[in-house]
Amino acid sequence: MALSPRANDVFLHNPSTVNGATADITITTHGSDWYWAVCSVMTVATLGFIGLSFTKPRTHRIFHYITSLVTMVAAIAYFTMGADLGFTPIAVEFSRSNPRVHGTYRSIFYVRYIDCFGTDKKDARVITTPLLLLDLLLTAGLPWPTILFTLLVDEIMIITGLIGALVVSNYKWAYYVFGCAALSVVAWTLTITARKHATALGGDVSRVYLICGCLTIFLWFLYPIAWGLCEGGNVIAPDSEAVFYGILDLFAKPVFGALLLWGHRNIDPARLGLHIRDYDEDPAIHGGVHSGGYTDKSNPTDPAGSNGTDGAATTTTV
C-alpha cells in the first residue's frame, strides 16, 4: 500500500486569529514549510557547533558556545513561526491592490524580536544579534566598556524595530529612523574601532574579523530594506517575506558561525584578552597553578611558596 505524503496541517491547529482579530495577510503552507526548513538548518548547525566545541579544551570554547546559542535561539524562533505562532495581527498602513498583500491585518511575528535583538520580526534578534556582535567584538579584542555600549545600542536597534512593526499609524517610520541610527552606530564600531583593534592583534585575527565583519555589515544593512518592504510598507507577501528574512538569517547565523569558528581554529583566546581559567587550574582549589605545575603553598607566610629556600618557588610537575 502506497503511503501518501503528509500534508502541512499547521493551520488546522493554529489558525491566524489572535485576540479576536484575524490576519488576512499571512503565511501559507509554503511559508510554513520554508520556516520548518530553516529551523532544521539552524538545528543541525547548533549540533555541529556544539560538537566542534569538544575538539577544544574548555578554556577555548567561548566562541563555540556563543555561536551555538545564536543558531539554537534562531531554531526555536523558526519553529514557532513555522507553527504559525508568536504573531499578532496588525492593521496595515498601506492597502495594496495586489491580491497577495490585499487585506486589513498582516501577521507580525513578534517572536523574532523577543528571541533576539534585531530590526526584523523574524530573527529572534533580542538575543541573537547581541551574541553575534559579542562574537565579533571579542574577536577584535575590544575593551569591555566599548562592548557593553555597542550591545546596548544594538538592543535599541531591535526594540525600535519591534515597536515600529506594532505601530499602526505612520509614526512607525520614526522608530524605523531610530533603529537605522542605532544600526549606524553599531556599523561605525565594527568598521572603524573594532577593525583597528583586530589589525593590531595580528594577521590571522584581522583576517577572520574582516571576513565575518564584512559579511555581517552587508547583511545587516539589508534587514532595514526587508523591514520596509514587509512590516513597514506591506509591499511583499508574507511568504516572500519569510524567504527574504530566512536567506538573510542563514547567511548571518550558520554561515557566519562556520566562518568564525574556522578562523578561530588556531587562535588562542588569551591573545584576545580572554584569560579563561578552568576549575582544575584554580589556585584556591589546587594551591596555585603555574606553567602546568602546582606551586607549593604549604607555608602561608611565604608568598613565593619557597618554604624558606632562598625565595625560589618549588613546583611539582604533574
Side-chain angles (χ1 to χ4, degrees):
M1 181 178 64
L3 297 177
S4 59
R6 188 176 185 276
N8 187 338
D9 59 355
V10 66
F11 299 105
L12 296 177
H13 302 281
N14 304 314
S16 299
T17 300
V18 177
N19 297 326
T22 300
D24 46 2
I25 308 173
T26 187
I27 61 171
T28 67
T29 54
H30 297 296
S32 177
D33 290 342
W34 169 253
Y35 282 140
W36 292 124
V38 177
C39 172
S40 300
V41 174
M42 296 293 182
T43 301
V44 171
T46 301
L47 296 176
F49 295 154
I50 293 175
L52 286 173
S53 71
F54 289 100
T55 66
K56 297 285 187 179
R58 284 189 295 267
T59 55
H60 289 197
R61 295 178 184 175
I62 182 170
F63 292 100
H64 293 78
Y65 290 157
I66 294 174
T67 306
S68 63
L69 285 174
V70 170
T71 51
M72 182 187 300
V73 172
I76 296 171
Y78 274 92
F79 172 88
T80 304
M81 292 183 289
D84 197 35
L85 298 171
F87 76 93
T88 186
I90 297 294
V92 298
E93 179 186 359
F94 303 101
S95 297
R96 306 293 182 183
S97 58
N98 186 334
R100 295 188 177 183
V101 290
H102 179 72
T104 304
Y105 293 96
R106 184 180 180 114
S107 296
I108 299 296
F109 285 94
Y110 57 79
V111 66
R112 294 184 174 177
Y113 295 97
I114 293 176
D115 286 341
C116 48
F117 290 137
T119 55
D120 73 272
K121 58 178 197 220
K122 298 203 165 84
D123 276 317
R125 235 149 232 102
V126 162
I127 298 173
T128 59
T129 62
L131 291 175
L132 288 169
L133 271 180
L134 190 59
D135 264 338
L136 286 172
L137 300 180
L138 289 179
T139 297
L142 282 176
W144 280 106
T146 304
I147 292 177
L148 292 176
F149 172 77
T150 307
L151 295 182
L152 289 174
V153 172
D154 179 66
E155 293 183 19
I156 293 174
M157 177 183 74
I158 299 157
I159 293 172
T160 53
L162 172 59
I163 295 173
L166 298 177
V167 169
V168 176
S169 70
N170 58 8
Y171 278 73
K172 68 173 62 182
W173 297 103
Y175 292 99
Y176 178 81
V177 172
F178 295 150
C180 289
L183 174 60
S184 299
V185 174
V186 173
W188 174 270
T189 301
L190 291 178
T191 57
I192 305 299
T193 308
R195 179 178 55 82
K196 292 180 179 179
H197 277 76
T199 301
L201 292 175
D204 52 349
V205 175
S206 178
R207 182 165 49 254
V208 64
Y209 177 81
L210 285 176
I211 292 173
C212 296
C214 290
L215 175 64
T216 299
I217 290 296
F218 172 72
L219 294 172
W220 281 21
F221 272 103
L222 293 179
Y223 281 108
I225 297 175
W227 191 98
L229 294 174
C230 304
E231 297 96 315
N234 188 38
V235 175
I236 64 177
D239 284 349
S240 300
E241 169 189 358
V243 174
F244 196 161
Y245 279 125
I247 292 175
L248 290 179
D249 282 342
L250 288 173
F251 280 98
K253 295 178 175 67
V255 173
F256 167 92
L259 291 173
L260 183 89
L261 295 183
W262 175 258
H264 273 279
R265 66 192 184 282
N266 295 321
I267 297 176
D268 188 338
R271 289 179 52 197
L272 312 177
L274 300 173
H275 301 281
I276 302 170
R277 187 168 56 197
D278 207 347
Y279 73 92
D280 55 0
E281 299 173 339
D282 192 340
I285 298 176
H286 296 287
V289 177
H290 183 68
S291 300
Y294 298 116
T295 303
D296 186 354
K297 297 291 185 180
S298 59
N299 183 0
T301 62
D302 185 356
S306 60
N307 290 328
T309 56
D310 300 326
T314 302
T315 302
T316 302
T317 303
V318 180

